[in-house]
Amino acid sequence: MPRDNKSPLIQKIAKQASVTFKGFKCAANGDNNVVADKQSELISLVTAVRAADLKIAPRKTKASSAAAGLQNPPVTYMHICETEVFSMGVFLLPTGASIPLHDHPGMNGMLKVLYGKVSVRCFDKLDDDLTASTVLPHFEPPLAPFQTASLRRSVLRSVEEYSENSGPCLLTPVRDNLHQIDAVEGPAAFLDILAPPYNPDDGRDCHYYKVVHTVTEEGMDGKNNREQQGGEKEKGEEMWLLEIPQPEYFWCGGEPYPGPVVTV
């Protein structure tokens, strides 16, 4: 692609994202090396972006009051652009905010921190269907019979922290596709690129999950077992996820995007 030294960086990112993710549709035709090169170019551009490039000023750390919590959304989003190929915007997380565990069906994605720090826990779904004959472990707390249809076997793939100096966190339709994002040590913001965008009409709706814990066949106390299975799980460890409605404590508000106009 010809070098473009005049366009804002975010415009270059949008242009390259369009080229890259259009190429993903053609990868099955044998141009995998070309696609890899284009993705490498996009990663390079995204790695370089900073909050100042989007005219976004880092938010100050402040404790949120209960009254403010009733009025303000836990997370806000700045829409930059969207096509049939990809969407791009910025998520802003106040101190202590979290985006619950969720998926991106059939989608690729890039997450690049603009300021602050986030912790990202990534999971893969295991490709197997539960049937009536599947022997399930015992869960603590116990699940209702109707909930078993919403269980998914998964693997904890990674738990990493990202800052503005980190490269992007990547996801694919089969790798690191489920993740939870937590602001660490203050407010944070990150650029988010998804390809293709969420679209329930095309089977790309967002689903939420929670980790459910098992009790060993030896009858280990549920509390002790949860402590053993808690936050310090080993990467690659199999886990059970339960699909749940969008948590009541989480919703996303909108904010105007202050940066350079992007055309695609």
Side-chain angles (χ1 to χ4, degrees), residues 24-47:
F24 275 39
K25 296 181 179 180
C26 304
N29 296 328
D31 288 333
N32 290 315
N33 289 334
V34 174
V35 170
D37 289 343
K38 293 185 182 300
Q39 185 177 28
S40 179
E41 292 177 28
L42 178 59
I43 291 173
S44 179
L45 290 171
V46 170
T47 299

Side-chain angles (χ1 to χ4, degrees), residues 80-103:
I80 297 177
C81 64
E82 181 171 328
T83 70
E84 292 183 354
V85 176
F86 77 101
S87 63
M88 183 164 65
V90 175
F91 282 96
L92 299 101
L93 283 66
T95 301
S98 175
I99 299 178
L101 182 60
H102 62 283
D103 64 2

Side-chain angles (χ1 to χ4, degrees), residues 1-263:
M1 189 169 70
R3 186 175 296 277
D4 179 1
N5 293 320
K6 296 182 179 180
S7 297
L9 178 56
I10 192 64
Q11 175 65 57
K12 297 178 186 178
I13 290 172
K15 183 177 180 180
Q16 186 61 48
S18 183
V19 171
T20 297
F21 293 118
K22 280 181 182 176
F24 275 39
K25 296 181 179 180
C26 304
N29 296 328
D31 288 333
N32 290 315
N33 289 334
V34 174
V35 170
D37 289 343
K38 293 185 182 300
Q39 185 177 28
S40 179
E41 292 177 28
L42 178 59
I43 291 173
S44 179
L45 290 171
V46 170
T47 299
V49 73
R50 296 291 186 270
D53 295 307
L54 308 184
K55 299 182 180 179
I56 295 175
R59 305 290 167 88
K60 295 181 179 180
T61 301
K62 62 178 181 179
S64 58
S65 66
L70 293 174
Q71 301 173 8
N72 299 327
V75 173
T76 54
Y77 180 76
M78 295 177 174
H79 172 81
I80 297 177
C81 64
E82 181 171 328
T83 70
E84 292 183 354
V85 176
F86 77 101
S87 63
M88 183 164 65
V90 175
F91 282 96
L92 299 101
L93 283 66
T95 301
S98 175
I99 299 178
L101 182 60
H102 62 283
D103 64 2
H104 311 78
M107 300 157 69
N108 295 278
M110 292 187 180
L111 178 165
K112 172 61 175 68
V113 173
L114 299 173
Y115 66 78
K117 184 189 299 183
V118 299
S119 174
V120 184
R121 294 170 57 87
C122 296
F123 297 78
D124 292 350
K125 286 182 186 176
L126 295 180
D127 190 18
D128 61 347
D129 294 323
L130 300 181
T131 66
S133 62
T134 301
V135 178
L136 297 174
H138 296 286
F139 295 100
E140 177 60 38
L143 300 181
F146 73 88
Q147 291 179 297
T148 58
S150 300
L151 283 169
R152 306 287 185 271
R153 289 178 63 235
S154 70
V155 171
L156 176 62
R157 185 61 64 189
S158 63
V159 182
E160 303 288 347
E161 289 190 351
Y162 295 84
S163 70
E164 64 178 319
N165 296 318
S166 306
C169 174
L170 307 179
L171 65 88
T172 77
V174 296
R175 181 87 177 191
D176 297 332
N177 190 265
L178 292 81
H179 62 205
Q180 175 177 322
I181 304 167
D182 302 298
V184 177
E185 300 172 359
F190 61 87
L191 180 70
D192 188 66
I193 302 175
L194 294 175
Y198 282 115
N199 186 339
D201 293 337
D202 285 340
R204 296 189 304 277
D205 201 358
C206 183
H207 308 93
Y208 293 87
Y209 300 86
K210 70 175 182 179
V211 175
V212 288
H213 302 283
T214 61
V215 178
T216 65
E217 292 301 323
E218 288 78 13
M220 180 182 291
D221 174 74
K223 179 179 178 181
N224 292 335
N225 196 32
R226 285 197 297 275
E227 290 175 353
Q228 183 180 1
Q229 296 187 36
E232 302 302 323
K233 282 183 172 293
E234 296 293 330
K235 295 177 184 177
E237 182 179 353
E238 290 191 13
M239 304 173 65
W240 288 92
L241 302 180
L242 180 69
E243 184 177 338
I244 60 173
Q246 179 173 324
E248 292 183 358
Y249 65 82
F250 176 76
W251 72 99
C252 191
E255 285 195 45
Y257 163 64
V261 174
V262 170
T263 58

